[in-house]
Amino acid sequence: MSTLTRRAVLRAIGAAGLAGVAASLAGCAPTIGTARLPRVPAAYDGPPVRLKFWNGLTGGDGPVMRTLIAEFTAAHPNIGIDMYALPWGDFYQKFPAAVTSGLAPDFALMHNFQVATNAARKVIMPVDDILETVGLAEADYLPVVWGSGVYRDQRWSLPLDMWPDSLFYNRRVLEQAGLDPDAPPTDRAGYEHALDALASSGVKGHWLPAVDPQGVGRGFDSLLWQFGGEHYDDGGNAATFGAQAGVDALEWQQSLIRSGWSPRNVSGSDASMAFKNDQNAFLWGGPGALINDLGSVEGLDWDVAPLPQIGSGRAAFSGSHQFVVARQPRFDADRLAAVVTFLGWILANSIGWASAGPVPARLPILDSPELAELTAQSHVAEGVEHIRFYPLVPGIAEVQTTILYPAIGDALLSLGDPAAALDTATTQASFLLQENVEKYGRA
């Protein structure tokens, strides 16, 4: 490692990686404003205020959030909310800059794997002091979800939802291959048997989107955990995804192509289009993107279930949208009270958010009759006890998307040696992890 320079790592990562790292470095900010939130009541009843709410909900989830905001403001006419939706990449660049310039929104929504980075940059506030006020209790969440907003012994975010990668399956294609459309495969033997049966009927059953690094990268994440591996050591100081569990995971992904179960060199949109046209049986993906997309296709006979267990244990990658309070040069008690009022309301009424695709993070809502009426979401919810999140390490999303995921995509496109591909990526990732330790401090 002594001869490995940051320039060499970035050259190996490529231009896309360089842009991500540069943006991360640019976002690092000193402490500004107050260290703790002022105490505020659970319900704001003061003069009219108008809040600014930033997020990256530029797809079909945006209108759902706007509908919920309209419901809230109708019940709380003294609180207005202006929602600004930016593409997620733009959001993560502009949000820190807005905070440091004193132009921060009042609150925002971000991914769980970006929370530690923004906490380390000191552009969001610890929210421990408002937990009771907004009605959050540890017993209402899965341990992995409850812990997902905790960094350096402080809570920085409030979880809204979960979106575990799940198995979307085309019922008609399965039935035409002589398989039971009411019993999707749950383990490796059953999954590979189904793929063989589909191949015999002329269908490549699992189109692996090797052209889209994120699409195959998240599948690799789930498989790595299923085979008993971890991405990083406990402190987030070194990458470990190149160990045998990672090799096993990548070899299985390659076997989908080598066995003729997936065509080569396809994209996520190719896989989705084939699924919609009854040419593909299985998609691995998140409910936020797929439930409404597939549900909009007239005549498509599909359903969803938890991912099959390919390795020695059950596991599925999941993300979570989480609310954060932006750091301000000085907090206005009325505005903060209005923010807390909205957060308490939407977390208690998150069943309305489920129509966007993700499932609610709060267990009482997850177990509600209202969720059971949403067939696809309730089937996704059957697998949430096995979800896994990335570790709470600043800069972790950068490492995943600029090093690991491209390495997985390249290995699937070339069908090259999995161990060698992961070994190179492990070295690069460990170098950037050490850079992040120097930049942000130890997790």
Side-chain angles (χ1 to χ4, degrees):
M1 284 295 293
S2 60
T3 61
L4 186 63
T5 66
R6 182 172 179 80
R7 180 175 299 175
V9 171
L10 293 176
R11 186 184 302 118
I13 294 170
L18 179 58
V21 173
S24 178
L25 287 170
C28 190
T31 302
I32 63 171
T34 56
R36 295 184 63 172
L37 294 174
R39 292 191 177 279
V40 295
Y44 176 66
D45 58 1
V49 295
R50 194 153 200 92
L51 305 175
K52 294 179 181 178
F53 170 34
W54 284 21
N55 56 58
L57 306 177
T58 57
D61 45 11
V64 177
M65 181 59 73
R66 293 184 189 278
T67 297
L68 291 170
I69 289 173
E71 292 179 11
F72 169 80
T73 55
H76 302 80
N78 59 336
I79 303 175
I81 299 177
D82 293 323
M83 177 174 132
Y84 299 88
L86 301 83
W88 283 115
D90 293 341
F91 170 86
Y92 288 120
Q93 289 186 6
K94 294 181 178 180
F95 178 76
V99 173
T100 56
S101 65
L103 300 173
D106 295 282
F107 66 106
L109 192 72
M110 65 177 55
H111 300 111
N112 61 296
F113 42 80
Q114 293 282 359
V115 170
T117 302
N118 285 278
R121 289 174 174 169
K122 301 181 175 65
V123 295
I124 58 176
M125 292 295 295
V127 293
D128 302 88
D129 293 339
I130 65 171
L131 284 183
E132 185 175 348
T133 309
V134 298
L136 263 66
E138 183 174 0
D140 289 342
Y141 295 86
L142 293 168
V144 66
V145 178
W146 181 254
S148 64
V150 178
Y151 171 68
R152 292 186 180 173
D153 300 321
Q154 288 183 295
R155 174 169 295 281
W156 299 85
S157 60
L158 309 175
L160 172 64
D161 60 21
M162 304 172 283
W163 20 282
D165 271 13
S166 303
L167 176 67
F168 291 79
Y169 57 97
N170 186 313
R171 291 169 46 83
R172 184 159 46 241
V173 172
L174 292 180
E175 189 169 25
Q176 290 173 349
L179 299 165
D180 186 350
D182 295 316
T186 60
D187 58 19
R188 180 170 183 168
Y191 198 69
E192 293 180 352
H193 167 74
L195 291 173
D196 275 335
L198 290 159
S200 296
S201 68
V203 173
K204 294 183 183 294
H206 181 144
W207 287 41
L208 192 68
V211 174
D212 296 331
Q214 179 162 306
V216 290
R218 285 179 16 180
F220 173 85
D221 292 335
S222 297
L223 291 164
L224 173 68
W225 285 317
Q226 287 196 9
F227 280 104
E230 297 291 342
H231 293 77
Y232 311 102
D233 64 12
D234 290 341
N237 301 310
T240 59
F241 51 72
Q244 188 59 47
V247 175
D248 292 343
L250 185 50
E251 283 181 341
W252 187 81
Q253 286 185 302
Q254 287 185 335
S255 76
L256 295 172
I257 300 172
R258 294 183 187 280
S259 300
W261 297 328
S262 170
R264 295 189 67 171
N265 304 343
V266 297
S267 67
S269 59
D270 294 333
S272 177
M273 187 60 65
F275 188 95
K276 294 173 183 177
N277 286 284
D278 295 340
Q279 298 171 345
N280 176 19
F282 299 125
L283 294 173
W284 288 28
L290 287 172
I291 285 180
N292 289 311
D293 181 36
L294 299 180
S296 68
V297 180
E298 184 177 355
L300 183 62
D301 188 9
W302 66 278
D303 206 339
V304 59
L307 289 183
Q309 179 182 325
I310 304 301
S312 57
R314 297 283 303 277
F317 163 88
S318 180
S320 169
H321 293 110
Q322 310 217 349
F323 288 105
V324 297
V325 176
R327 189 177 290 273
Q328 308 289 340
R330 183 180 61 84
F331 276 96
D332 178 284
D334 283 350
R335 300 183 70 84
L336 181 60
V339 169
V340 169
T341 302
F342 173 73
L343 294 179
W345 181 89
I346 195 167
L347 293 173
N349 292 276
S350 57
I351 186 61
W353 175 243
S355 63
V359 297
R362 297 184 79 164
L363 295 178
I365 299 175
L366 199 66
D367 296 333
S368 68
E370 292 83 0
L371 187 72
E373 294 176 1
L374 300 172
T375 303
Q377 286 87 337
S378 65
H379 289 176
V380 170
E382 293 172 3
V384 297
E385 64 183 293
H386 303 292
I387 64 172
R388 297 288 301 271
F389 287 168
Y390 298 148
L392 285 162
V393 176
I396 205 67
E398 168 197 347
V399 178
Q400 292 283 125
T401 58
T402 62
I403 297 179
L404 176 57
Y405 287 1
I408 299 301
D410 289 346
L412 293 174
L413 290 171
S414 67
L415 294 182
D417 179 21
L422 291 173
D423 184 63
T424 299
T426 297
T427 300
Q428 295 174 342
S430 295
F431 182 85
L432 286 192
L433 287 168
Q434 285 300 311
E435 289 280 315
N436 287 339
V437 168
E438 295 177 13
K439 181 166 56 178
Y440 299 118
R442 295 191 181 276

